[in-house]
Amino acid sequence: AGLIIVAPIGMTLWLIWTVVGWVDSWVWPFVPNAYHPEELVNRLLGRAPDNQIEVNVRGVGVVIFLIFIFDTCAL
């Protein structure tokens, strides 16, 4: 009975993770480097180029995509 409950939940989470990664990889080339989370964090903290923090935030591309879609629909 446990596998019947856990398997669909696991597959759903895996599918969401995959789709979010796919949308991020499609959207990120269109976003200027100044707006990437890694650049924003390092600029706010005043980090030198040779001592930067690496930030990998999955899903920001999806948020940017949704903002773009809703913004263009409002026009």
Side-chain angles (χ1 to χ4, degrees), residues 6-7 10 18 27 34 44-46 48 52 58 60 64 71 74:
V6 174
T18 304
V27 170
L44 287 173
L45 295 177
Q52 292 199 347
R58 195 173 190 113
V60 175
I64 292 171
D71 187 45

Side-chain angles (χ1 to χ4, degrees), residues 32-55:
N33 285 337
Y35 296 113
H36 287 206
E38 185 171 291
E39 294 294 326
L40 290 172
V41 167
N42 287 314
R43 190 173 41 214
L44 287 173
L45 295 177
R47 304 286 270 193
D50 60 340
N51 189 21
Q52 292 199 347
I53 298 173
E54 292 185 25
V55 179

Side-chain angles (χ1 to χ4, degrees), residues 8-66:
I9 293 171
M11 292 292 288
T12 302
L13 292 175
W14 174 80
L15 183 64
I16 290 170
W17 184 261
T18 304
V19 169
V20 167
W22 179 76
V23 172
D24 276 353
S25 69
W26 186 74
V27 170
W28 275 121
F30 300 109
V31 177
N33 285 337
Y35 296 113
H36 287 206
E38 185 171 291
E39 294 294 326
L40 290 172
V41 167
N42 287 314
R43 190 173 41 214
L44 287 173
L45 295 177
R47 304 286 270 193
D50 60 340
N51 189 21
Q52 292 199 347
I53 298 173
E54 292 185 25
V55 179
N56 185 7
V57 181
R58 195 173 190 113
V60 175
V62 174
V63 172
I64 292 171
F65 177 74
L66 291 174

